[in-house]
């Protein structure tokens, strides 16, 4: 038997004429989908910036304007709670009359638990959703959804925005009435330095003792 006849015989054997035809674009009874704009998405890429230099760290740019559409249509004064089973984070959004989907929210890496942010982790994230106040009979009030999250890493150097110095006599760093440096009884004073990062974070750079006969750092 030639290969094409063999393949056709296999397909005929697997076909069940009694099985209902399935529309691959239809939403399952208790499923839901995330929307970006008006388009359903199954995958989302978040940009993660890794900082080097004076101010190391990382930050993730949240994806804004995400919406959710459940198999229960928006109606009346409904709300929808979408919870990430991996992070425990959730968002509670309006899902009422006049809407085509939920109120918008943002998605980002992390552990935000509520509000307009929904936390995710890289990889597959499984969600449970629940509509409160569902008014349409026969529609499921809860269900599930899946979203694959990827990260795109970028590196940047982040230097200090400024460096602060504070000079004081020994024991007077936190005093409201400091002795003039030229009159320090111990014959020396101390100088602390801290770097200020662009995001406002400060990094301590240490303390140095300066004897009055020396003036350079």
């Amino acid at each position: 038997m030639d290969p094409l006849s063999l393949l056709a015989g296999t397909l005929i054997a697997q076909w069940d004429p009694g099985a209902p035809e399935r529309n691959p674009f239809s939403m399952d009874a208790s499923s839901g989908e995330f929307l970006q704009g008006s388009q359903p998405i199954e995958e989302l890429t978040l940009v993660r910036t890794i900082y080097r230099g004076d101010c190391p760290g990382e930050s993730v740019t949240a994806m804004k304007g995400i919406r959710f559409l459940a198999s229960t249509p928006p109606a009346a004064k409904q709300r929808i709670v979408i919870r990430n089973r991996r992070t425990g984070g959730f968002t509670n959004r309006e899902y009422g009359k006049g809407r085509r989907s939920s109120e918008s929210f943002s998605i980002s890496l992390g552990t935000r638990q509520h509000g307009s942010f929904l936390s995710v982790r890289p990889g597959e994230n499984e969600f449970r959703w629940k509509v409160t106040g569902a008014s349409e009979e026969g529609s499921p009030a809860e269900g599930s959804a899946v979203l694959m999250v990827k990260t795109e890493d970028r590196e940047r150097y982040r230097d200090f925005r400024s460096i602060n110095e504070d000079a004081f006599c020994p024991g007077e760093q936190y005093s409201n009435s400091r002795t003039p440096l030229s009159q320090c009884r111990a014959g020396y004073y101390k100088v602390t330095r801290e770097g200020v990062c662009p995001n406002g974070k400060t990094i301590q750079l240490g303390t140095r003792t300066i004897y009055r006969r020396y003036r350079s750092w």
Side-chain angles (χ1 to χ4, degrees), residues 33-89:
E33 57 189 10
F34 291 89
L35 306 177
Q36 190 171 23
S38 59
Q39 298 300 315
I41 56 172
E42 297 179 353
E43 182 178 295
L44 194 65
T45 299
L46 297 173
V47 175
R48 177 169 54 189
T49 303
I50 300 173
Y51 295 102
R52 311 292 187 189
D54 295 333
C55 303
E58 66 177 49
S59 66
V60 177
T61 302
M63 187 66 69
K64 300 180 180 180
I66 303 297
R67 300 176 186 273
F68 192 84
L69 179 62
S71 50
T72 301
K77 298 181 179 180
Q78 296 176 158
R79 297 189 68 86
I80 187 168
V81 177
I82 310 157
R83 184 182 299 275
N84 190 336
R85 300 185 68 178
R86 287 190 64 188
T87 67

